[in-house]
């Protein structure tokens, strides 16, 4: 059934963006439109409307040049839930190994009738380059250490779902801020929606001048713990950083890992988030990851809804 309500029709009519390259480029109202559309899809799913015809006749290409489990699977399932066709691309088995350029690869895939491109790449700005060279809409699924907008949107959606609003909440992003595209997207989104944001981690993993983005900086998690409404535990980006940025994994876990003792010092209703994949025993202990304060699996569920909303809103076809 091509099930469209007055609510998602009005959102679609107000949406004007062609690409989703990062939350830096969205207004608070545009971010809210995505959240509201995801909430509408969640309402429909609760009524049993899990297969919608909104993208029937649309072809979505997943161009992933980096490994991914949750994001790639989530985008693929989101497209299928909206009745789109999916093209799954793997760099290892493509003509890139024969010397074809990134842009030529994308243009050839577009020429096969692709309407939307979801791209993940290790180079910051790669989705922006595609947006300049393709006629399709481009969705950033993570570009180097720059941004990961749909991850931040699902984090924010999960917080809003539990708390009703972001306005006035204190949210800590804890961990490897310097190398985290999730942190950057969260900073843009959370601050635009009125949250107070604190970035916390070893001084060697916090970028210089990050305060200019409207956040506070802390290097002592225990000191700020009682103030926090939400704690988003970021994975240590071992693959993107040079060695020697902190003495040892054990010391990092001791100073910044979320464990049962720290949970006792936090607010009674504190929310624990993590973008995944989580390193159990490093940034979070199993009892906290699987405990009542954790909304990690809610984030995964909500990621599907957020990606459905993004694909739907950015799709040029089937406009109401």
């Amino acid at each position: 059934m091509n099930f469209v309500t007055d609510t998602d029709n009005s959102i679609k009519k107000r949406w004007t963006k062609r690409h989703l390259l990062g939350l830096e480029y969205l207004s608070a109202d545009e971010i809210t439109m995505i959240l509201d559309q995801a909430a509408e899809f969640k309402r429909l799913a609760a009524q049993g409307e899990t297969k919608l015809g909104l993208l029937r006749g649309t072809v979505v290409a997943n161009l992933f040049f980096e490994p991914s489990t949750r994001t790639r699977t989530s985008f693929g399932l989101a497209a299928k839930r909206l009745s789109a066709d999916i093209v799954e691309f793997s760099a290892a088995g493509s003509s890139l190994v024969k010397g074809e350029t990134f842009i030529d690869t994308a243009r050839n895939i577009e020429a096969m009738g692709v309407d939307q491109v979801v791209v993940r790449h290790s180079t910051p700005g790669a989705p922006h380059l595609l947006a300049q060279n393709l006629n399709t809409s481009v969705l950033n699924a993570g570009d180097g250490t720059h941004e990961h907008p749909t991850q931040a949107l699902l984090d924010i959606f999960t917080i809003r779902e539990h708390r009703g609003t972001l306005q006035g909440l204190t949210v800590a992003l804890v961990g490897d801020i310097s190398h985290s595209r999730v942190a950057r997207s969260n900073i843009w989104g959370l601050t635009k929606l009125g949250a107070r944001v604190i970035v916390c981690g070893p001084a060697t993993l916090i970028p210089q001048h990050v305060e200019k983005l409207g956040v506070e900086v802390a290097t002592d998690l225990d000191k700020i713990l009682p103030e926090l409404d939400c704690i988003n535990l970021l994975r240590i980006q071992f693959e993107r950083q040079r060695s020697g940025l902190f003495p040892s994994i054990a010391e990092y876990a001791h100073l910044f890992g979320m464990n049962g003792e720290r949970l006792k010092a936090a607010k009674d209703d504190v929310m624990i988030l993590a973008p995944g994949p989580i390193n159990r025993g490093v940034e979070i202990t199993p009892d906290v990851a699987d405990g009542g304060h954790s909304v990690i699996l809610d984030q995964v569920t909500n990621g599907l809804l957020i990606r459905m909303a993004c694909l739907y809103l950015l799709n040029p076809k089937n406009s109401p």
Side-chain angles (χ1 to χ4, degrees), residues 9-55:
N9 257 324
S10 66
I11 296 170
K12 178 76 169 175
K13 287 176 181 176
R14 289 187 289 125
W15 184 264
T16 60
K17 286 285 192 295
R18 182 182 171 199
H19 308 292
L20 178 60
L21 303 178
L23 298 196
E24 178 182 358
Y25 313 103
L26 297 186
S27 67
D29 185 53
E30 288 167 334
I31 292 170
T32 301
M33 278 191 265
I34 297 174
L35 302 180
D36 289 347
Q37 184 61 60
E40 176 66 9
F41 284 144
K42 191 159 195 172
R43 184 186 70 80
L44 293 175
Q47 294 179 351
E49 294 285 346
T50 57
K51 184 71 171 181
L52 306 173
L54 296 172
L55 295 191

